[in-house]
Amino acid sequence: NPPVLEQLGLVPALEWLTEEMHKNYRMKVHINDDHVPKIMDGVSASIVYRAVRELLINVARHAQVDTVRVTARGLDGHLTVQIADNGVGFDPSEEQERGAAGLGLATLRERIGFIGGKLTLDSERGRGTVATIAVPLHK
């Protein structure tokens, strides 16, 4: 994890990640934050940060796009982070058949489930993908 995650929180860490994604993958990541405080314990923040990073790397490797949107929202005691691209998409029903890719997504789901959250994917070939992470916030 970058030091900014522990020092400043999830959204500043995601902003730092946008620079890393551009430097390493030449991909522009646009962050849209609602500026609602997103109070999380260190374990939860780390799991969400790593999940977003993994999903962005998947976009960079597979979606065939150079731009992606990340939206962070705090509402009713929950954090929702969406990673959306207009890339090639895929058929989520074939996820298990995709070997390592399916295993990576299953691992992300397991980690997010560990903190009481959920990862959902909305994708279709030729239409792009929206990955949504929803986790409880601390009060």
Side-chain angles (χ1 to χ4, degrees):
N1 294 334
V4 69
L5 179 61
E6 188 174 311
Q7 296 166 357
L8 300 176
L10 180 64
V11 173
L14 294 177
E15 290 168 348
W16 176 85
L17 181 60
T18 66
E19 297 169 21
E20 292 298 302
M21 293 303 296
H22 189 261
K23 184 170 57 176
N24 295 326
Y25 295 96
R26 297 285 174 235
M27 188 170 70
K28 293 179 183 146
V29 180
H30 300 286
I31 302 249
N32 182 343
D33 176 42
D34 65 0
H35 303 288
V36 170
K38 294 159 184 68
I39 301 167
M40 307 174 77
D41 64 76
V43 170
S44 296
S46 177
I47 288 171
V48 172
Y49 172 82
R50 289 173 184 220
V52 171
R53 183 185 67 198
E54 183 69 26
L55 290 164
L56 287 174
I57 290 170
N58 284 350
V59 171
R61 289 181 177 162
H62 305 292
Q64 300 176 13
V65 294
D66 60 5
T67 304
V68 63
R69 293 177 318 281
V70 176
T71 304
R73 299 271 181 262
L75 181 65
D76 296 329
H78 283 81
L79 166 69
T80 301
V81 179
Q82 283 193 329
I83 299 90
D85 69 72
N86 293 322
V88 298
F90 67 98
D91 182 348
S93 68
E94 297 174 0
E95 187 178 314
Q96 284 83 16
E97 300 169 19
R98 294 164 33 113
L103 181 60
L105 291 171
T107 301
L108 285 179
R109 281 195 172 101
E110 183 177 308
R111 286 186 205 147
I112 292 166
F114 175 75
I115 57 172
K118 185 176 180 180
L119 169 65
T120 57
L121 294 172
D122 178 20
S123 187
E124 187 178 306
R125 292 194 189 283
R127 189 179 57 84
T129 302
V130 177
T132 304
I133 299 168
V135 297
L137 289 169
H138 297 257
K139 296 191 177 198

